[in-house]
Amino acid sequence: ESATAFGCLVSDMWLGEFDYVSPEAFHSIFGKRYPAFSKRTQHDAQEFLICVLDDLHEAFKEVRAQLYQERQSPVAGASTRSSSGTSIITQLFEGQLSYGIRCLTCKALSDRPESFTVLSLPIPSTRVCSLQDCLECFFQPDTLTRNNQIHCHWCGGNQDATVKASIIKAPQIIIFHLKRFAWQDKHRRKLSTTVCYPFSDLDLSPYISTSRCNNTEYSLCAVVNHAGDLDYGHYTAFCKHSVTKHWYSFDDAQVTKIPDSAVQADTAYLLFY
């Protein structure tokens, strides 16, 4: 299964016996489960990442449920299931948003929770902006009118409303997807905007609505880059070594140590904090 192949891939990477490690075996097995990714064509790194995380979650959740069953079953062959939908993936990557929806007619407020593993952030500029600008844009209130009206339980009909997102559970590792592929004038194009992102002290407290989140400051640990356009592109990655704290560039079979200054790139597509 793909979870086993992924484990072998990670082991080979950390053993340090090779200059580089090819993920060919993992890709082959993963492609059987997700045929869309088996083709040698362009794919979106964010979509691939979400599928990998979902696949690993399901695999590890099954193991967790099996261990739970073995501990809880008083009789051999008894069937019990863990009610927990958690895994190491959800423990590390899953956060929770709350959408506060206020009816503009009766002012009633309702909350709609939603889990996430990746936050897709709009890019509010065409030239230069900061990650903070993207976060402000994502978390700013929005007005729902016309076809987007809500059905208000208190008013008993469709009404205009405001909606504002906030974080009620911050994950240990938060992943930001910069929405570089956008529609403009009925055409989809790539935004080449320079997005400046901090290497440390990223404070999410302005966007957190509860006091349960103690650690709200994050440090950058990896970047996925996309060079090219809609028709042709190439993905690379920058990763920070957890022990030495040095940054490395991963470009197919080329793995090289890079200075910190090189990590700030105009091609950044996914940010891991």
Side-chain angles (χ1 to χ4, degrees), residues 163-188:
V163 58
K164 186 178 187 304
S166 61
I167 298 173
I168 56 177
K169 179 195 170 192
Q172 291 188 44
I173 301 172
I174 189 164
I175 306 170
F176 298 116
H177 161 231
L178 302 178
K179 296 172 71 173
R180 291 197 177 277
F181 300 100
W183 289 94
Q184 189 177 53
D185 300 328
K186 298 183 180 180
H187 297 285
R188 196 163 181 256

Short mmCIF file of all heavy atoms in Angstrom, two decimals, residues 163-188:
data_model
loop_
_atom_site.label_atom_id
_atom_site.label_comp_id
_atom_site.label_asym_id
_atom_site.label_seq_id
_atom_site.Cartn_x
_atom_site.Cartn_y
_atom_site.Cartn_z
N VAL A 163 -20.14 37.26 6.69
CA VAL A 163 -19.45 36.04 7.14
C VAL A 163 -18.00 36.38 7.40
O VAL A 163 -17.36 37.11 6.63
CB VAL A 163 -19.59 34.90 6.11
CG1 VAL A 163 -19.03 35.31 4.75
CG2 VAL A 163 -18.91 33.64 6.61
N LYS A 164 -17.49 35.88 8.51
CA LYS A 164 -16.09 36.13 8.88
C LYS A 164 -15.49 34.85 9.44
O LYS A 164 -16.04 34.23 10.35
CB LYS A 164 -15.98 37.25 9.93
CG LYS A 164 -14.55 37.66 10.24
CD LYS A 164 -14.51 38.80 11.23
CE LYS A 164 -13.07 39.32 11.41
NZ LYS A 164 -12.11 38.28 11.82
N ALA A 165 -14.34 34.46 8.86
CA ALA A 165 -13.67 33.24 9.30
C ALA A 165 -12.69 33.56 10.43
O ALA A 165 -12.10 34.64 10.49
CB ALA A 165 -12.93 32.60 8.14
N SER A 166 -12.52 32.60 11.32
CA SER A 166 -11.51 32.69 12.37
C SER A 166 -11.02 31.28 12.68
O SER A 166 -11.71 30.29 12.40
CB SER A 166 -12.06 33.37 13.63
OG SER A 166 -13.14 32.62 14.16
N ILE A 167 -9.83 31.19 13.25
CA ILE A 167 -9.26 29.89 13.60
C ILE A 167 -9.66 29.55 15.03
O ILE A 167 -9.46 30.35 15.95
CB ILE A 167 -7.72 29.91 13.47
CG1 ILE A 167 -7.30 30.20 12.04
CG2 ILE A 167 -7.12 28.59 13.94
CD1 ILE A 167 -5.80 30.41 11.86
N ILE A 168 -10.26 28.38 15.23
CA ILE A 168 -10.58 27.95 16.59
C ILE A 168 -9.67 26.80 17.04
O ILE A 168 -9.62 26.49 18.22
CB ILE A 168 -12.06 27.53 16.72
CG1 ILE A 168 -12.42 26.45 15.70
CG2 ILE A 168 -12.97 28.72 16.57
CD1 ILE A 168 -13.86 25.94 15.85
N LYS A 169 -8.94 26.22 16.09
CA LYS A 169 -7.93 25.23 16.45
C LYS A 169 -6.79 25.36 15.44
O LYS A 169 -6.97 25.13 14.25
CB LYS A 169 -8.48 23.80 16.41
CG LYS A 169 -7.43 22.75 16.76
CD LYS A 169 -7.86 21.35 16.37
CE LYS A 169 -6.73 20.36 16.51
NZ LYS A 169 -7.02 19.07 15.86
N ALA A 170 -5.61 25.77 15.92
CA ALA A 170 -4.46 25.92 15.04
C ALA A 170 -3.68 24.62 15.01
O ALA A 170 -3.39 24.04 16.06
CB ALA A 170 -3.57 27.06 15.53
N PRO A 171 -3.31 24.12 13.82
CA PRO A 171 -2.56 22.86 13.74
C PRO A 171 -1.11 23.06 14.16
O PRO A 171 -0.60 24.17 14.20
CB PRO A 171 -2.66 22.48 12.27
CG PRO A 171 -2.80 23.80 11.56
CD PRO A 171 -3.58 24.69 12.48
N GLN A 172 -0.44 21.94 14.46
CA GLN A 172 0.98 22.01 14.79
C GLN A 172 1.79 22.48 13.59
O GLN A 172 2.74 23.26 13.71
CB GLN A 172 1.50 20.65 15.26
CG GLN A 172 0.96 20.21 16.61
CD GLN A 172 1.64 18.95 17.10
OE1 GLN A 172 2.86 18.80 17.03
NE2 GLN A 172 0.85 18.00 17.59
N ILE A 173 1.43 21.96 12.41
CA ILE A 173 2.05 22.37 11.15
C ILE A 173 0.97 22.96 10.27
O ILE A 173 -0.01 22.28 9.95
CB ILE A 173 2.73 21.18 10.43
CG1 ILE A 173 3.80 20.55 11.32
CG2 ILE A 173 3.34 21.63 9.10
CD1 ILE A 173 4.38 19.26 10.77
N ILE A 174 1.11 24.23 9.90
CA ILE A 174 0.09 24.86 9.08
C ILE A 174 0.64 25.07 7.67
O ILE A 174 1.78 25.49 7.48
CB ILE A 174 -0.40 26.19 9.69
CG1 ILE A 174 -1.62 26.72 8.94
CG2 ILE A 174 0.72 27.24 9.75
CD1 ILE A 174 -2.39 27.79 9.69
N ILE A 175 -0.17 24.70 6.67
CA ILE A 175 0.23 24.76 5.27
C ILE A 175 -0.59 25.84 4.58
O ILE A 175 -1.83 25.84 4.64
CB ILE A 175 0.01 23.41 4.56
CG1 ILE A 175 0.70 22.28 5.32
CG2 ILE A 175 0.51 23.48 3.12
CD1 ILE A 175 0.33 20.89 4.82
N PHE A 176 0.10 26.78 3.93
CA PHE A 176 -0.57 27.83 3.17
C PHE A 176 -0.38 27.57 1.67
O PHE A 176 0.73 27.33 1.21
CB PHE A 176 0.01 29.21 3.50
CG PHE A 176 -0.17 29.61 4.94
CD1 PHE A 176 0.93 29.80 5.76
CD2 PHE A 176 -1.44 29.80 5.47
CE1 PHE A 176 0.78 30.17 7.08
CE2 PHE A 176 -1.60 30.16 6.80
CZ PHE A 176 -0.49 30.35 7.60
N HIS A 177 -1.49 27.64 0.95
CA HIS A 177 -1.48 27.51 -0.51
C HIS A 177 -1.73 28.90 -1.08
O HIS A 177 -2.78 29.51 -0.83
CB HIS A 177 -2.58 26.53 -0.94
CG HIS A 177 -2.96 26.63 -2.37
ND1 HIS A 177 -4.28 26.77 -2.79
CD2 HIS A 177 -2.21 26.64 -3.50
CE1 HIS A 177 -4.32 26.85 -4.10
NE2 HIS A 177 -3.10 26.77 -4.56
N LEU A 178 -0.76 29.43 -1.81
CA LEU A 178 -0.91 30.74 -2.44
C LEU A 178 -1.65 30.56 -3.77
O LEU A 178 -1.16 29.85 -4.65
CB LEU A 178 0.46 31.38 -2.66
CG LEU A 178 1.31 31.58 -1.40
CD1 LEU A 178 2.66 32.19 -1.76
CD2 LEU A 178 0.59 32.45 -0.38
N LYS A 179 -2.79 31.17 -3.90
CA LYS A 179 -3.65 30.95 -5.07
C LYS A 179 -3.12 31.73 -6.27
O LYS A 179 -3.63 32.80 -6.62
CB LYS A 179 -5.09 31.34 -4.74
CG LYS A 179 -5.70 30.47 -3.64
CD LYS A 179 -7.06 30.97 -3.18
CE LYS A 179 -8.12 30.76 -4.23
NZ LYS A 179 -9.48 31.11 -3.71
N ARG A 180 -2.08 31.17 -6.88
CA ARG A 180 -1.44 31.83 -8.02
C ARG A 180 -2.19 31.60 -9.32
O ARG A 180 -1.99 32.33 -10.29
CB ARG A 180 0.01 31.33 -8.17
CG ARG A 180 0.91 31.79 -7.03
CD ARG A 180 2.37 31.66 -7.40
NE ARG A 180 3.27 32.17 -6.36
CZ ARG A 180 3.59 33.44 -6.21
NH1 ARG A 180 3.09 34.35 -7.02
NH2 ARG A 180 4.41 33.81 -5.26
N PHE A 181 -3.03 30.58 -9.37
CA PHE A 181 -3.78 30.32 -10.59
C PHE A 181 -5.19 30.86 -10.41
O PHE A 181 -5.98 30.34 -9.63
CB PHE A 181 -3.79 28.82 -10.89
CG PHE A 181 -2.41 28.26 -11.08
CD1 PHE A 181 -1.77 27.57 -10.06
CD2 PHE A 181 -1.74 28.44 -12.28
CE1 PHE A 181 -0.48 27.07 -10.24
CE2 PHE A 181 -0.46 27.94 -12.47
CZ PHE A 181 0.16 27.25 -11.45
N ALA A 182 -5.49 31.96 -11.10
CA ALA A 182 -6.74 32.68 -10.88
C ALA A 182 -7.42 33.01 -12.20
O ALA A 182 -6.79 33.03 -13.27
CB ALA A 182 -6.47 33.97 -10.10
N TRP A 183 -8.72 33.27 -12.12
CA TRP A 183 -9.50 33.65 -13.29
C TRP A 183 -9.49 35.17 -13.43
O TRP A 183 -9.68 35.89 -12.46
CB TRP A 183 -10.94 33.17 -13.16
CG TRP A 183 -11.08 31.70 -13.28
CD1 TRP A 183 -11.11 30.78 -12.28
CD2 TRP A 183 -11.20 30.95 -14.50
NE1 TRP A 183 -11.24 29.50 -12.78
CE2 TRP A 183 -11.30 29.58 -14.14
CE3 TRP A 183 -11.24 31.30 -15.84
CZ2 TRP A 183 -11.44 28.57 -15.09
CZ3 TRP A 183 -11.38 30.30 -16.78
CH2 TRP A 183 -11.48 28.95 -16.41
N GLN A 184 -9.23 35.64 -14.62
CA GLN A 184 -9.26 37.06 -14.90
C GLN A 184 -9.79 37.27 -16.31
O GLN A 184 -9.22 36.74 -17.28
CB GLN A 184 -7.87 37.70 -14.75
CG GLN A 184 -7.90 39.22 -14.83
CD GLN A 184 -6.53 39.83 -14.60
OE1 GLN A 184 -5.57 39.46 -15.26
NE2 GLN A 184 -6.45 40.76 -13.66
N ASP A 185 -10.88 38.03 -16.41
CA ASP A 185 -11.51 38.29 -17.72
C ASP A 185 -11.81 36.98 -18.46
O ASP A 185 -11.52 36.82 -19.65
CB ASP A 185 -10.61 39.17 -18.58
CG ASP A 185 -10.35 40.52 -17.94
OD1 ASP A 185 -11.24 41.00 -17.23
OD2 ASP A 185 -9.25 41.06 -18.13
N LYS A 186 -12.40 36.03 -17.72
CA LYS A 186 -12.82 34.74 -18.25
C LYS A 186 -11.65 33.85 -18.70
O LYS A 186 -11.86 32.83 -19.36
CB LYS A 186 -13.80 34.92 -19.43
CG LYS A 186 -15.09 35.62 -19.03
CD LYS A 186 -16.05 35.71 -20.22
CE LYS A 186 -17.33 36.41 -19.80
NZ LYS A 186 -18.30 36.52 -20.93
N HIS A 187 -10.43 34.25 -18.35
CA HIS A 187 -9.26 33.45 -18.69
C HIS A 187 -8.51 33.10 -17.42
O HIS A 187 -8.36 33.94 -16.52
CB HIS A 187 -8.34 34.21 -19.65
CG HIS A 187 -8.97 34.51 -20.98
ND1 HIS A 187 -9.15 33.55 -21.95
CD2 HIS A 187 -9.47 35.67 -21.48
CE1 HIS A 187 -9.74 34.10 -23.00
NE2 HIS A 187 -9.93 35.39 -22.75
N ARG A 188 -8.03 31.87 -17.35
CA ARG A 188 -7.26 31.44 -16.19
C ARG A 188 -5.79 31.74 -16.44
O ARG A 188 -5.25 31.40 -17.48
CB ARG A 188 -7.45 29.94 -15.93
CG ARG A 188 -7.02 29.50 -14.53
CD ARG A 188 -7.62 28.14 -14.21
NE ARG A 188 -7.24 27.70 -12.88
CZ ARG A 188 -6.34 26.79 -12.61
NH1 ARG A 188 -5.70 26.20 -13.62
NH2 ARG A 188 -6.05 26.41 -11.38
#
